[in-house]
Amino acid sequence: MGAGHAHRLHRPGTSRVHTLPPHTKLAAVLAFVVVVVCTPREAVWAFALYAALLAGVAAAARVPPGFLLRRLLIEVPFVAFALLMPFVAQGPRTEVLGLSLSVSGLWGAWNVLAKGTLGVAASVLLAATTPLRDLLLGLQRLRLPSLLVQIATFMIRYGDLITDEMRRMRVARASRGFEARGVRHWGVLAASAGALFIRSYERGERVHLAMVSRGYTGTLPVIDEVTASRAQWSRALSLPAAALTVCLLGWTL
């Protein structure tokens, strides 16, 4: 898989959550998100219990609340979309603080906010307790198509290199007195984007030739074979199992 790369979403640790095999955590998060999505939006109490379950996982993983909340800011665009729904949705309306809002829009906004926030929080906890390299190994262990795993691997490996290339090009433009101030400078920026694409494509060709010369046949070698015991699976799946119990109660009550 190649060398691992540190990521600002990951928080190193030795907790019981950190030491779980990556494929068990991936399966647990996926199952948890599916259960949350299937929960009726009217069961407000159920979403509070889901949040409590994630808080328990964060506490077990020793992930500070501030760390988790700062990473949740990624969902701000979805929050903005949800806040517009009560104003634009059709159907019966109600008065809230002097504003005429759609009842179905309010429920829709709550549905997006609650389920979206819980899904993002679960993903952030997964990233905080699992290095990127281990996540890729987990995807491979779960039999995700090899081509998709390889694409993700190279994207992670060379994303920083492309970013550094963009930074060097920006510094080179600035050192020559260039400053984008309007539409008339878009041509220079477009030429820079084209040059970056050509450089990236040529780098990809060189890397592919180097891999083929070293015996690459379309699959990456697995250096670390990750396995999980029954106890580890039970520990990981306890989160979606508890969430499933809550979901069933939400449908019956």
Side-chain angles (χ1 to χ4, degrees):
M1 276 290 185
H5 289 262
H7 197 278
R8 63 181 181 178
L9 285 179
H10 178 57
R11 185 178 178 84
T14 57
S15 70
R16 298 181 67 182
V17 180
H18 283 82
T19 55
L20 283 174
H23 56 289
T24 64
K25 289 186 279 188
L26 282 166
V29 169
L30 176 61
F32 175 80
V33 171
V34 170
V35 170
V36 170
V37 171
C38 293
T39 304
R41 64 188 184 183
E42 293 79 9
V44 177
W45 58 270
F47 296 102
L49 290 179
Y50 293 150
L53 288 174
L54 289 181
V57 174
R62 301 184 183 90
V63 176
F67 179 92
L68 182 60
L69 292 175
R70 286 195 299 272
R71 270 68 185 172
L72 286 178
L73 292 177
I74 193 174
E75 67 165 344
V76 168
F78 299 98
V79 172
F81 169 75
L83 292 178
L84 290 176
M85 294 180 66
F87 296 95
V88 299
Q90 302 298 318
R93 308 188 76 81
T94 185
E95 292 288 332
V96 178
L97 299 177
L99 299 175
S100 177
L101 303 178
S102 168
V103 175
S104 61
L106 287 171
W107 278 116
W110 160 252
N111 195 48
V112 171
L113 287 175
K115 296 180 179 181
T117 300
L118 290 169
V120 173
S123 301
V124 170
L125 283 175
L126 174 64
T129 58
T130 315
L132 282 175
R133 178 178 179 275
D134 290 350
L135 284 175
L136 294 172
L137 290 172
L139 292 173
Q140 193 171 51
R141 183 68 179 175
L142 291 174
R143 300 293 187 268
L144 195 74
S146 177
L147 181 59
L148 295 180
V149 177
Q150 291 184 54
I151 291 174
T153 302
F154 288 120
M155 179 184 69
I156 293 171
R157 172 64 181 86
Y158 291 100
D160 291 339
L161 293 178
I162 302 303
T163 301
D164 288 341
E165 189 72 27
M166 291 176 59
R167 180 184 56 81
R168 288 193 294 269
M169 294 174 67
R170 178 177 57 80
V171 172
R173 291 196 304 268
S175 66
R176 290 164 175 79
F178 174 80
E179 183 177 354
R181 295 181 178 177
V183 177
R184 60 193 181 92
H185 292 132
W186 285 7
V188 177
L189 297 177
S192 299
L196 178 64
F197 174 79
I198 296 297
R199 294 182 185 183
S200 302
Y201 183 84
E202 291 177 345
R203 184 191 295 272
E205 290 290 314
R206 294 194 300 270
V207 170
H208 179 259
L209 291 175
M211 292 173 61
V212 171
S213 67
R214 290 165 174 78
Y216 175 73
T217 58
T219 58
L220 295 175
V222 178
I223 300 175
D224 302 322
E225 184 66 26
V226 182
T227 59
S229 65
R230 181 175 298 179
Q232 289 173 321
W233 272 111
S234 299
R235 195 188 314 161
L237 294 179
S238 61
L239 173 66
L244 179 60
T245 303
V246 175
C247 179
L248 293 176
L249 287 174
W251 279 105
T252 55
L253 294 180

